[in-house]
Each structure stands twice: as C-alpha cells, then as structure tokens.
Amino acid sequence: MNSTGTNSAAEAFRRLHDTAPVGVWSAPGRVNLIGEHTDYNDGFVLPFAIPQRTWVAAASREDGVLTLATVEGDRTVTAEPLDVSEVEPGGVTGWAAYPAGVAWVLRQQGITGGAALVITGDVPRGAGLSSSHSLEVASALALLGLSGRNASRSDVAKWVQVAENDFVGAPTGLLDQTASLCCTDAHVLFLDVRSGQQEQVPFDAARHGLEVLVIDTRVSHSLVESGYGERRRGCEEAARLLGLPSLRDAETWDGLPAHLQPLVRHVITENRRVQDTVELLRQDRYEEIGPLLSASHASLRDDYRVSCAELDVAAATAEEAGALGARMIGGGFGGSAIALVPREVRGEVERRVAEAFAENGFTAPRTFVAVPSAGAGRDL
Ligand code: GLA
C-alpha cells in the first residue's frame, strides 16, 4: 500500500477541515492486458490494477450535505456542496459528477448520510487507465465505510456502473470498476462478465525478463462523447438480429448487415484471445502472448474501428523496436497502449516511440512500466 498517498490525503483533509478524517479509502486505475469491448457483450476480460491510485479521505456530516474537494499539490478545487437527498442526474457536471453519482446510487440502497470527501490521486486523467472509475470506487468505499454498512465487491461494482451509466452518462461496462475493486497484487484478473466468475491468475512478467510498458498517447478521450456508445448499440443490434441474448453467444457473423459483421468478428475473436492468453499464462509461456496482444490491436483497429493514429503509431513502433506485442487498451479513440517488452529493449522502445511521435507532429507520449498492484480498500 502506498502510505505516502494515504498520508497526504489525510493531511489535505486536516488542512481543509481542521480535523482528522474518519478514514482514508483508495482505489487503483487499471491496465487491461487483453479483452477489449467484450465486457458489455457478456464476455471475458483480463485486467490488472496499476500502482497509481485515487485516495479519498472522508468523514460523516450530520446535515446530509456532501462536500467535495480535490487537492493536487498546492491546488485545491472545491465543488458546490450537495444535499444528498436531492442530488439527481443532470444536476452535477465535471469531476464532481463521479462522487455525486456514487452518492446518488448509494441513496437508492438506503445509504443517505452526508459526508466530507477530500480527493487526491496520481492516476493519469483521460489516459484510458480508469482514473474516473478509481475515483468512483474510492468514493463508494468511503461512503459505504462511513455508513457502517457492508456490501460485496460485486455489488459495489454494479452500483458504480449504475452511477457511471445513469448519472455521469457514460454507457460503460463492468471491466473498470471490477478491476479496481477485485484485482490483487501480482495477478491478472480473469473475469467472466456473464457469470461474474473470477480467477486470479499469477502474472509475473519480470520473472521472464519482460515488462508491460504503458504508452499514454496524451490524446484525451471521453466515453460520454466518443463512438463508444455507437459501438455498443451496434453490438446490441447484432445480437438481436442473431436472436441471441448477447454477442457472448455468437459463433458467426454470417448473414448480418455488412456494417455489423466486423463488430461481431471482433467480439468473437477477442473472447478467444483472452482465453488463449490465460491458458498461455497458466503454462508459463509468457513470450507467446505477444502475438495475441498484436492481433487484438489489429482487430480493434480494423474491425471494431476504435483506434486512432497515435495508438497505431505507438503499437507499430513498439513492435518494430523489439516489443513482443502491443495493443491499445480501454475504450479507444485516444488514451493508452501497452507493449510487452523484453527488459533490455525497453529504453529503445521508449526512444523510438517518442521519435515517431515527434516525426508525426504528435504531443510527446508518457511512458511507465505497469506492475500488477493491489485493488481498492481502506488504508487508514
Ligand atoms: C472502457 C469502459 C469499459 C470497457 C472498455 C473497453 O474502459 O469503461 O467498460 O468497455 O472501455 O474494453
């Protein structure tokens, strides 16, 4: 656990409220090793939690009011105080909509108390690493913790999804919340979204001399406005035309209108790639997952069409420079890519990707090595 982050959230709370918080809760961002745009099709995903987290220092308030502040270094931003019994979708915009949406959904579960939340964090924003979900999950655990109520992690994940879909207005699936809540140190989480079944699969790339390099393209994406919703509706339409409950059950795209066929092909092949990756990891054949990552990228680029020039340059250049495989992660249209790199070529991959971005006139990318880290919890 990152005690510096916990302590600085508690310290920020003390500075703003002249008293210690009752507790500090935190939740990580995530990398999805493979299994993209499969979650809302009832399919398979394979994420791990990254070390970067959002911390929420919190205390109850007797007056039913929710106060929200974010602290970044010397900068504090405070949102309009909200009456928890009155907060409704559409009433809050910007970053405050995430914790407000969580308070709104918890109210429907009978958890209604006011609270003061002070938020800090280091998950890069708009980078496809789930910064907003980490804020929602940490807020949910804080409000739940203050209320003294218990809930299962899968219930919390579902509540956070409702907040995200119906309050924030982003039609996302269950991948990000579940990753933030249920991932564990040194493992990837093999999640079957349909059944809710989870398996923690050991993931120790370092033992194989490998690293997962995250390349943040700095192209900011919004799941509220992007083609995300359009893809999701396309999948729903395809499932309806195939007479299936969801594309999880699809075995062919034959007979579908031409514009839906590639969507279905992506979902079918991506679910297979997730299962194949898990199998290779179980057998300790780490190097062999590289081609599956690259095939996932090609499928997202050509069939699902959610990539962008920066993600394509990042993935292609990483491979040319010696990565075993590379792919965009998250919703797409910006955000981050990952590359599976032998440790000794990481520097070369970073250098060549930076060069390619400069040559193309793109903003310089940010890179870091992601290691599977702990999921959300109470830190203090
Ligand atoms: C975003 C969404 C997830 C998932 C991915 C694509 O991260 O929040 O629910 O659909 O995109 O795999």
Side-chain angles (χ1 to χ4, degrees):
M1 205 50 69
N2 179 335
S3 59
T4 316
T6 309
N7 293 339
S8 54
E11 186 45 45
F13 189 98
R14 246 177 251 121
R15 223 170 35 240
L16 286 173
H17 294 291
D18 266 340
T19 177
V22 168
V24 177
W25 288 260
S26 73
R30 62 98 190 90
V31 151
N32 191 18
L33 189 59
I34 196 161
E36 224 62 84
H37 289 277
T38 46
D39 64 345
Y40 53 82
N41 288 302
D42 270 354
F44 301 107
V45 292
L46 195 63
F48 65 85
I50 57 176
Q52 291 89 336
R53 303 174 80 81
T54 299
W55 286 270
V56 172
S60 303
R61 286 176 62 116
E62 296 303 320
D63 58 2
V65 169
L66 179 67
T67 68
L68 301 167
T70 59
V71 178
E72 263 174 47
D74 293 341
R75 195 160 164 264
T76 300
V77 180
T78 312
E80 269 308 297
L82 300 163
D83 188 331
V84 174
S85 63
E86 284 173 7
V87 66
E88 290 299 338
V92 189
T93 53
W95 63 269
Y98 297 107
V102 166
W104 170 75
V105 87
L106 289 179
R107 189 180 82 205
Q108 294 162 36
Q109 301 301 322
I111 298 163
T112 52
L117 306 187
V118 174
I119 299 153
T120 62
D122 59 4
V123 185
R125 272 193 233 118
L129 299 169
S130 275
S131 63
S132 56
H133 284 98
S134 71
L135 169 55
E136 289 167 324
V137 167
S139 303
L141 292 186
L143 293 174
L144 204 60
L146 293 177
S147 77
R149 284 260 304 266
N150 282 321
S152 72
R153 297 219 157 206
S154 54
D155 278 345
V156 176
K158 282 178 198 142
W159 295 340
V160 168
Q161 185 187 22
V162 174
E164 175 91 6
N165 292 174
D166 298 346
F167 196 95
V168 177
T172 50
L174 265 172
L175 162 67
D176 303 332
Q177 313 77 324
T178 313
S180 188
L181 280 156
C182 302
C183 282
T184 56
D185 205 20
H187 292 81
V188 284
L189 174 69
F190 180 33
L191 170 68
D192 176 345
V193 176
R194 168 167 281 169
S195 67
Q197 204 177 329
Q198 301 187 0
E199 181 188 337
Q200 303 286 345
V201 182
F203 185 69
D204 185 358
R207 195 164 47 81
H208 296 259
L210 297 171
E211 293 176 335
V212 177
L213 181 69
V214 177
I215 305 165
D216 171 7
T217 63
R218 315 272 303 280
V219 180
S220 183
H221 73 146
S222 157
L223 296 175
V224 180
E225 291 145 25
S226 72
Y228 185 95
E230 198 186 308
R231 298 298 183 286
R232 187 169 181 164
R233 285 190 296 277
C235 290
E236 283 159 7
E237 194 194 340
R240 194 176 49 77
L241 292 172
L242 289 166
L244 300 169
S246 76
L247 290 187
R248 160 67 173 273
D249 305 296
E251 283 166 8
T252 178
W253 45 89
D254 276 355
L256 283 172
H259 72 288
L260 295 177
Q261 292 193 12
L263 295 186
V264 180
R265 187 161 54 225
H266 168 72
V267 175
I268 292 176
T269 57
E270 185 77 351
N271 275 326
R272 232 178 264 148
R273 283 186 288 269
V274 178
Q275 291 168 287
D276 290 349
T277 302
V278 170
E279 203 42 50
L280 288 171
L281 291 179
R282 285 194 191 119
Q283 296 173 16
D284 237 9
R285 290 158 61 191
Y286 278 56
E287 283 80 5
E288 290 171 60
I289 71 173
L292 293 170
L293 303 185
S294 298
S296 169
H297 184 80
S299 179
L300 289 158
R301 181 190 61 211
D302 303 334
D303 275 348
Y304 218 70
R305 295 197 302 110
V306 289
S307 190
C308 66
E310 289 82 352
L311 288 167
D312 291 343
V313 167
T317 312
E319 279 177 41
E320 281 158 27
L324 303 181
R327 61 179 291 270
M328 55 152 280
I329 59 166
F333 309 103
S336 297
I338 53 168
L340 183 69
V341 295
R343 192 180 300 120
E344 62 280 7
V345 302
R346 193 232 305 163
E348 177 68 1
V349 170
E350 288 178 300
R351 195 180 59 72
R352 295 263 296 273
V353 170
E355 248 172 45
F357 269 51
E359 275 162 24
N360 282 282
F362 302 158
T363 305
R366 278 196 209 108
T367 54
F368 66 93
V369 173
V371 285
S373 304
R378 183 172 188 162
D379 300 355
L380 190 80

